[in-house]
């Protein structure tokens, strides 16, 4: 394609709003433009990359027998009511009404639609297993859209859904899908890890994996073991608690004992945080217990974790079996504890109290006193207050041993690109996806769902393949394979050489971007650096002697070679 006529609006300066390097460069190099927060136009270059990624995904989906279809973005609210998700999906679901006042939603995902379809069309075991997929625009009104395409409110997803007659079938489909995902992400040139992920209340062990691109800007934390193959999302990673071994014998429902020495009141004016308390009282965070007040499906609960630990809300939500879980606001905290935020403690609380293993195992601790400017010391779990449940409710820490082999844990940041998930019968039951087996019995189909954030993947590739002065696309997804630059298009010799080479490269079946613009060479080189194609061929003054410059992306120097050799090299690409 001739650059002269292409819409590639490059920017000289870094856009102020872009934090992540991929976001910055995709804007600067003219791949995308923002229309509203989290809503983007894919310009010609951006769209070409997306199409290449989609082609790889389609090939790998077809290779495992998944069939492509396309479902509507606009979905009747009743479907979501039937599955039970209309109420709980929350403000992320974009809701709208048609002219008759009927309620609709813009699909953030398609379990409801696909299950309804399959329920209506498939009735016999002879038609199973079935896997369908689509590449489609999704809508989620994210609280914090950011990093450009990484977290959009309108974005492109590949979502696949499988229907098997039994769990063994689902296991096979799931494994095939996992392998396809490995091929997709490898072909996209990514450095990634497959990690264990939380699968919610359904699914069970090994029922969910995420595929994470390694990147500093990633919003997820990947916990992996330096010695064995253990790798999990921090949300899911088991926190090994050797020090909490005695907590297992702990009587969870014991009423507080009144015979014990009561806790001592400590005057702690204005000391609301662990840092302030440790600094001013000269304590170690390990001697403190944090009391966090949450609201789970509208009901307040308290969680205790040791002062040096972080609460894990995914683990807590799983224990509680709740759909929504949020830290209580200041007002709720005051109602529940009688004190401002920063002084909550377990003694005297009337809401359910859950404790992480380590907190429950502490002989005594300093906690909030449920009174402004006071804490308590000598608080003994199970003696001064009762616990509803004890378990692993904290994030694994970098100093923890690997839960599988005891090895050293390594923490890294990652971008979630894909998610495979064993759904089981949650949707087939709610939406009536049944089939008749060999013996004429009606059974529920066993489902799996498998997502890839296609537009996020584009950003993740850019994030991993970026240099100082621009993008550096892996060949498999580059918008063009070769960038052909003519330094002085008005020069007859250069022009002729360029036209000839351009024609030959096209004849080889290569995608070529020909920069034949009447621009200063400096501008052309800067733009070429930004755009970041895998191979650059420059036709300049050397054209008179039959010479061109060849540069492979990432190599510091260009080589001067005869034109026929450039053609030979191109033929090998
Ligand atoms: P996240 O934890 O990042 O919000 P999720 O768990 O909500 O992701 P899924 O519902 O599993 O995501 O969606 C499947 C895939 O879609 C994700 O693996 C991710 O690659 C992509 N995705 C999800 N939300 C967004 C978004 N707001 N913008 C772009 N891609 C997204
Ligand atoms: Mg999400």
């Amino acid at each position: 394609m001739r650059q002269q006529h292409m819409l590639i609006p490059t920017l000289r300066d870094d856009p102020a709003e872009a934090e992540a390097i991929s976001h910055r460069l995709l804007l600067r190099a003219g791949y995308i433009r923002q229309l509203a927060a989290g809503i983007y136009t894919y310009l010609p270059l951006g769209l070409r990359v997306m199409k290449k990624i989609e082609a790889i995904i389609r090939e790998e989906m077809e290779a495992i027998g998944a069939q492509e279809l396309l479902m509507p973005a606009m979905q009747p609210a009743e479907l979501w009511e039937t599955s039970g998700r209309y109420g709980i999906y929350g403000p992320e679901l974009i809701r709208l009404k048609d002219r008759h006042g009927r309620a609709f939603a813009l699909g953030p995902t398609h379990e409801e639609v696909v299950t309804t379809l399959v329920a209506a069309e498939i009735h016999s075991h002879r038609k199973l297993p079935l896997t369908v997929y689509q590449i489609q625009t999704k809508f989620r009104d994210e609280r914090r859209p950011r990093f450009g395409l990484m977290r959009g409110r309108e974005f492109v997803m590949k979502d696949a859904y499988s229907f098997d007659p039994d769990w063994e079938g689902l296991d096979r489909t799931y494994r095939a899908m996992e392998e396809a995902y490995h091929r997709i992400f490898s072909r996209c040139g990514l450095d990634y890890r497959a990690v264990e992920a939380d699968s919610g209340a359904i699914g069970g062990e090994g029922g969910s994996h995420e595929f994470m691109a390694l990147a500093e800007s990633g919003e997820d934390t990947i916990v992996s073991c330096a010695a064995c193959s253990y790798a999990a999302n921090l949300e899911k990673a088991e926190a090994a608690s050797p020090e909490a071994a005695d907590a297992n014998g702990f009587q969870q429902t014991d009423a507080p004992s009144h015979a014990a020495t009561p806790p001592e009141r400590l005057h702690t004016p204005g000391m609301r945080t662990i840092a302030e308390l440790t600094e001013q009282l000269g304590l170690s965070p390990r001697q403190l217990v944090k009391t966090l007040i949450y609201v789970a499906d509208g009901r307040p609960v308290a969680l205790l974790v040791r002062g040096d630990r972080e609460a894990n809300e995914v683990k807590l939500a799983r224990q509680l079996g709740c759909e929504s879980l949020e830290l209580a606001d200041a007002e709720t905290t005051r109602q529940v504890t009688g004190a401002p935020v920063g002084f909550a403690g377990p003694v005297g609380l009337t809401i359910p109290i859950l404790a992480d293993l380590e907190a429950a195992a502490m002989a005594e601790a300093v906690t909030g006193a449920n009174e402004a400017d006071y804490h308590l010391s000598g608080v003994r779990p199970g003696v001064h207050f009762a616990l509803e449940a004890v378990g692993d409710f904290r994030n694994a820490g970098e100093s923890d041993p690997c839960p599988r082999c005891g090895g050293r844990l390594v923490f890294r940041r990652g971008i979630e690109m894909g998610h495979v998930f064993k759904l089981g019968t949650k949707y087939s039951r709610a939406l009536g996806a049944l089939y008749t087996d060999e013996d004429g019995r009606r059974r529920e189909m066993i489902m799996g769902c498998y997502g890839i954030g296609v537009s996020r993947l584009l950003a993740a590739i850019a994030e991993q393949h970026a240099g100082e002065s621009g993008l550096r696309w892996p060949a498999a997804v580059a918008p063009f394979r070769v960038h052909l630059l003519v330094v002085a298009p008005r020069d007859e010799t250069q022009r002729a050489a360029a036209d000839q080479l351009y024609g030959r490269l096209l004849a080889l079946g290569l995608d070529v971007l020909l920069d034949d613009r009447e621009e200063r060479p400096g501008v052309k080189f800067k733009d070429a650096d930004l755009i970041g194609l895998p191979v650059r061929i420059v036709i300049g003054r050397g054209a008179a002697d039959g010479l061109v410059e060849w540069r492979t992306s990432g190599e510091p120097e260009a080589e001067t070679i005869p034109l026929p050799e450039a053609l030979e090299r191109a033929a090998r690409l």
Side-chain angles (χ1 to χ4, degrees):
M1 232 179 272
R2 289 177 188 265
Q3 206 165 330
Q4 180 75 33
H5 305 294
M6 270 190 83
L7 178 60
I8 309 177
T10 52
L11 306 174
R12 186 114 46 92
D13 300 309
D14 274 338
E17 76 271 21
E19 297 167 71
I21 184 156
S22 57
H23 187 194
R24 225 159 54 220
L25 289 174
L26 288 170
L27 286 169
R28 274 193 66 190
Y31 282 71
I32 57 169
R33 280 296 179 269
Q34 181 181 301
L35 180 65
I39 303 178
Y40 286 85
T41 295
Y42 303 88
L43 295 172
L45 288 180
L47 187 62
R48 288 181 75 95
V49 178
M50 188 111 104
K51 298 264 179 225
K52 298 224 167 158
I53 297 172
E54 290 178 1
I56 292 174
I57 294 176
R58 284 197 170 91
E59 273 180 39
E60 297 298 346
M61 287 295 106
E62 305 290 326
I64 57 167
Q67 303 170 47
E68 184 167 7
L69 44 62
L70 183 60
M71 292 179 272
M74 192 157 154
Q75 310 177 358
E78 294 114 62
L79 267 187
W80 286 76
E81 271 155 9
T82 312
S83 73
R85 283 209 285 189
Y86 197 61
I88 58 186
Y89 213 93
E92 237 180 62
L93 187 67
I94 297 184
R95 295 154 209 255
L96 60 153
K97 291 239 160 83
D98 72 4
R99 64 168 76 205
H100 307 291
R102 282 187 290 251
F104 284 82
L106 293 181
T109 173
H110 277 68
E111 282 82 7
E112 280 78 1
V113 177
V114 78
T115 312
T116 305
L117 176 80
V118 170
E121 307 303 332
I122 305 272
H123 306 288
S124 160
H125 65 94
R126 281 190 301 272
K127 292 286 190 185
L128 298 177
L130 173 74
T131 302
V132 294
Y133 76 97
Q134 63 176 347
I135 295 178
Q136 197 242 15
T137 302
K138 297 281 187 274
F139 298 86
R140 294 184 184 180
D141 199 357
E142 298 274 357
R143 189 197 300 262
R144 284 191 72 199
R146 57 192 212 137
F147 297 157
L149 302 182
M150 293 279 190
R151 185 168 296 283
R153 297 196 295 165
E154 173 176 330
F155 60 98
V156 177
M157 195 200 285
K158 183 286 298 181
D159 44 329
Y161 305 89
S162 67
F163 299 83
D164 274 276
D166 48 35
W167 281 92
E168 294 71 47
L170 173 60
D171 286 344
R172 274 192 300 276
T173 306
Y174 186 87
R175 268 199 303 279
M177 194 61 80
E178 270 186 302
E179 284 160 18
Y181 273 41
H182 279 290
R183 287 191 298 270
I184 290 167
F185 298 125
S186 305
R187 288 179 63 183
C188 288
L190 280 165
D191 186 8
Y192 72 95
R193 299 284 180 279
V195 306
E196 289 178 18
D198 178 65
S199 52
I202 41 170
E205 276 318 299
S208 171
H209 288 86
E210 287 165 345
F211 289 77
M212 299 275 188
L214 299 180
E216 272 311 310
S217 63
E219 294 183 291
D220 285 277
T221 302
I222 304 169
V223 178
S224 60
C225 176
C228 76
S229 63
Y230 180 74
N233 190 321
L234 181 63
E235 287 178 356
K236 155 96 181 174
E238 295 155 46
S241 294
E243 298 162 51
D246 343 335
N248 296 332
F250 181 75
Q251 296 290 300
Q252 296 182 14
T253 50
D254 265 5
S257 147
H258 297 292
T261 339
E264 201 178 308
R265 272 171 98 231
L266 294 175
H267 190 46
T268 51
M271 297 180 217
R272 294 161 182 275
T273 64
I274 296 292
E276 285 161 352
L277 283 163
T278 50
E279 206 168 286
Q280 299 187 40
L281 301 180
L283 295 169
S284 140
R286 298 169 65 109
Q287 294 173 279
L288 306 174
V289 158
K290 281 192 269 203
T291 305
L292 300 156
I293 310 294
Y294 284 97
V295 179
D297 288 347
R299 190 179 70 117
V301 298
L303 174 68
L304 310 182
V305 294
R306 214 170 63 187
D308 59 331
R309 299 300 194 184
E310 284 169 23
N312 183 310
E313 296 177 4
V314 171
K315 293 177 182 176
L316 180 63
R318 182 191 261 273
Q319 166 74 29
L320 296 169
C322 61
E323 295 285 354
S324 82
L325 182 74
E326 277 178 12
L327 268 179
D329 57 21
E331 183 47 37
T332 310
T333 302
R334 186 182 281 279
Q335 276 171 18
V336 167
T337 67
V341 172
F343 298 96
V347 180
L349 277 189
T350 53
I351 57 174
I353 307 174
L354 294 88
D356 178 62
L357 282 161
E358 281 177 344
M362 287 166 76
E364 47 175 60
V366 171
T367 72
N370 296 325
E371 184 184 346
D373 296 337
Y374 281 94
H375 279 74
L376 298 177
S377 71
V379 174
R380 301 172 59 187
V383 175
H384 296 128
F385 60 92
L387 286 167
E388 182 165 294
V390 174
D392 170 11
F393 302 133
R394 69 169 172 96
N395 282 344
E398 286 207 75
S399 55
D400 289 348
C402 166
R404 294 280 181 279
C405 76
R408 190 170 57 83
L409 291 183
V410 183
F411 278 46
R412 263 185 282 216
R413 308 292 297 170
I415 300 165
E416 180 194 324
M417 301 176 299
H419 193 177
V420 293
F421 199 107
K422 290 182 186 171
L423 282 173
T425 58
K426 176 172 174 175
Y427 295 96
S428 43
R429 180 170 307 158
L431 297 154
L434 306 175
Y435 71 99
T436 311
D437 71 8
E438 288 91 336
D439 306 320
R441 278 178 308 213
R442 298 284 283 159
R443 290 167 167 253
E444 285 159 350
M445 297 181 200
I446 313 294
M447 290 176 58
C449 68
Y450 318 89
I452 292 181
V454 180
S455 43
R456 181 182 285 184
L457 185 51
L458 189 165
I461 299 170
E463 191 76 18
Q464 281 191 356
H465 296 270
E468 288 284 295
S469 48
L471 295 158
R472 286 184 192 160
W473 295 106
V477 300
F480 293 92
R481 194 74 170 78
V482 177
H483 207 163
L484 185 57
L485 268 67
V486 201
V487 176
R490 292 226 182 122
D491 177 297
E492 276 298 320
T493 321
Q494 289 188 27
R495 171 113 241 158
D499 283 340
Q500 188 199 12
L501 189 53
Y502 182 56
R504 295 272 186 90
L505 293 173
L506 292 182
L508 286 170
L510 292 167
D511 288 335
V512 186
L513 181 61
L514 171 62
D515 188 353
D516 52 354
R517 295 175 300 163
E518 298 282 348
E519 290 279 3
R520 279 180 293 111
V523 171
K524 294 187 172 192
F525 283 109
K526 265 224 163 70
D527 282 352
D529 283 345
L530 277 171
I531 293 168
L533 303 181
V535 169
R536 184 187 306 173
I537 304 175
V538 180
I539 298 182
R541 252 176 288 177
D545 306 316
L547 296 173
V548 299
E549 274 182 21
W550 177 287
R551 184 171 155 194
T552 310
S553 168
E555 301 283 324
E557 298 291 334
E559 296 167 78
T560 303
I561 56 172
L563 205 142
E565 191 188 332
L567 264 176
E568 272 168 41
R569 286 191 186 188
R572 271 183 263 128
L573 286 178

